[in-house]
Amino acid sequence: MPAADAITVEDARKTLKRTTLAVIPIAIAYLSYAFFLDQFGGPFEQAAIAVCVVLTAIGCIFCLIHLPQAARLVHLLIMLPYVLFHLSQGNAAFVLIAFNAAIVTTLMIRVSQNVFEGFVELVTSQTQLALQQQETARLTAENRALAMTDALTGMPNRRVFLEQMEAAIAESRDAGASFFVGIVDLDRFKPVNDIYGHAVGDQLLVEVGERLRSLDHESHVVARLGGDEFGIIAPGCEAQASALGETISKALARPFAIGDNAFAIGCSIGFTTFPHGGTSAADLFHHADYALYNVKSNGRGGTCLFSYELAKQLLTKTEMETQLQIADLDSELSIHFQPSSRCHPARSAVGKRWADGKAQNSARSCPANSSRRPSG
């Protein structure tokens, strides 16, 4: 017999069928031999043959407890002829033995049927459980794929991007290698979305994703971060990041044909490198976003590599803008006129002072008003 895990369903059916059919010639041959021996010897020898026939039948039925079809054949082919044979002999003692044996084997057949039904129920429940586990595993895999895939473009989403960044950090730290992170932001995408509708905007994002994937290398990770932003993780240094940025800019600068319309959008890209631009996923993402913000602030359509000097400038600028937005200009700013001897006699200097010193003084020259006297 082959190993259990190597047997197919069809092979199992054939084996069970052969086993069931093999009962017929074996039972007939055994019983015929017993009847042949019964004519020899006295009552003790005949009793011994009767005991052997009964015990053999019971043993066969017990061994075939998981195959009740074969057990029933043993019962019918041995016990029924055995009872009829002793009835024809007219020996009351042997008739009683035959009937008792028939009753015992009938009960064993019933027990074997119950065991078989329980066995079938067990196998069925195990099969159903295995199918449920397979279905659960399939649904889990589908849910994971949905949770990690952008529904619109089919690209990895922000979650996968951050996980891949963590993995790249661990791998590069162990190997002493470097990699870079880039954030690609589409230029002039919002007017397309607003004027032509979200359907056209979605199609445009799909085609942008296809172009980015066409540039994809097996070692690169390209993901959609959300909106019109895409992320890139690739091994290499600053020079390789700049080269990839140029390639992406040229690819996305080509017009996109959607329906009867053609759109030229372009992109801005911010890069940072590991480990010089950060040692954690949060820092790398934040610094790449800094570099992208710098590109967008300076007219869009280019690439920028993060540096801590750039971050300092952006922080200063952002702090100034924040203070101006939250300031109470009427109470915190005052205008002071002061004569300037180095200026034209007809001009004076105007300075603005912040009451709490949050910003430096700024000054510009303006025409003097002869009707008003400078104060201070």
Side-chain angles (χ1 to χ4, degrees):
M1 292 293 294
D5 55 355
I7 298 176
T8 64
V9 175
E10 188 61 30
D11 291 338
R13 286 199 181 101
K14 291 179 180 179
T15 302
L16 292 173
K17 186 176 181 180
R18 285 198 303 267
T19 303
T20 303
L21 295 178
V23 168
I24 299 175
I26 293 174
I28 293 175
Y30 176 76
L31 191 61
S32 300
Y33 182 62
F35 289 160
F36 173 76
L37 292 177
D38 192 73
Q39 61 183 320
F40 302 101
F44 292 104
E45 288 77 13
Q46 292 174 349
I49 293 173
V51 170
C52 288
V53 171
V54 172
L55 291 179
T56 301
I58 292 174
C60 289
I61 292 172
F62 180 79
C63 292
L64 296 171
I65 195 169
H66 291 301
L67 191 58
Q69 299 90 340
R72 284 194 292 269
L73 279 177
V74 170
H75 178 66
L76 293 175
L77 293 174
I78 292 180
M79 298 314 301
L80 182 59
Y82 183 71
V83 170
L84 294 176
F85 172 77
H86 283 293
L87 284 174
S88 65
Q89 295 295 317
N91 189 320
F94 284 101
V95 170
L96 181 60
I97 292 173
F99 271 110
N100 285 335
I103 292 173
V104 171
T105 53
T106 301
L107 292 176
M108 288 192 66
I109 289 295
R110 182 56 192 167
V111 171
S112 69
Q113 185 65 36
N114 293 339
V115 172
F116 178 74
E117 291 175 356
F119 176 72
V120 171
E121 184 178 353
L122 175 63
V123 173
T124 303
S125 63
Q126 289 179 341
T127 303
Q128 291 176 347
L129 179 60
L131 292 175
Q132 290 175 355
Q133 290 176 341
Q134 291 177 359
E135 182 67 12
T136 301
R138 185 186 67 82
L139 293 175
T140 301
E142 288 183 358
N143 291 335
R144 178 172 175 78
L146 290 174
M148 304 183 75
T149 304
D150 177 63
L152 178 63
T153 62
M155 303 173 70
N157 59 13
R158 179 188 291 264
R159 177 180 178 181
V160 178
F161 185 75
L162 295 177
E163 289 180 358
Q164 291 293 326
M165 202 186 307
E166 294 283 2
I169 290 172
E171 182 179 349
S172 299
R173 184 181 289 118
D174 294 338
S178 64
F179 69 91
F180 58 86
V181 176
I183 299 179
V184 181
D185 186 87
L186 302 182
D187 298 332
R188 299 179 296 277
F189 173 76
K190 189 176 184 301
V192 174
N193 210 35
D194 293 342
I195 295 173
Y196 294 92
H198 291 287
V200 174
D202 289 346
Q203 183 60 36
L204 181 57
L205 290 174
V206 170
E207 295 196 12
V208 168
E210 290 177 354
R211 287 195 188 180
L212 290 177
R213 279 187 291 202
S214 67
L215 305 174
D216 190 13
H217 189 270
E218 60 181 8
S219 60
H220 295 179
V221 176
V222 181
R224 184 189 175 202
L225 304 180
D228 60 346
E229 282 191 350
F230 297 82
I232 299 171
I233 304 173
C237 58
E238 294 183 353
Q240 292 168 307
S242 299
L244 181 60
E246 290 294 327
T247 302
I248 293 174
S249 296
K250 290 179 181 178
L252 298 185
R254 300 196 307 269
F256 291 86
I258 300 177
D260 297 331
N261 301 306
F263 304 99
I265 53 174
C267 67
S268 301
I269 312 174
F271 285 109
T272 189
T273 60
F274 174 88
H276 303 295
T279 56
S280 68
D283 287 343
L284 290 172
F285 192 89
H286 191 47
H287 293 166
D289 206 32
Y290 260 138
L292 174 64
Y293 177 77
N294 183 66
V295 176
K296 304 288 278 189
S297 300
N298 292 304
R300 305 177 180 181
T303 61
C304 178
L305 287 167
F306 171 81
S307 66
Y308 284 97
E309 291 76 11
L310 172 65
K312 185 178 180 180
Q313 294 174 6
L314 291 175
L315 282 173
T316 302
K317 181 179 179 181
T318 302
E319 183 180 359
M320 175 68 75
E321 291 177 351
T322 302
Q323 292 297 336
L324 287 173
Q325 290 173 357
I326 66 175
D328 184 359
L329 300 182
D330 293 335
S331 62
E332 295 184 22
L333 289 181
S334 60
I335 300 177
H336 298 268
F337 295 90
Q338 180 177 357
S340 177
S341 60
R342 295 183 182 180
C343 293
H344 191 277
R347 305 179 72 85
S348 64
V350 178
K352 293 182 288 183
R353 290 184 182 174
W354 212 302
D356 57 1
K358 292 180 180 178
Q360 296 181 351
N361 296 342
S362 62
R364 64 180 178 85
S365 61
C366 63
N369 189 338
S370 57
S371 64
R372 294 186 57 186
R373 184 175 180 177
S375 62

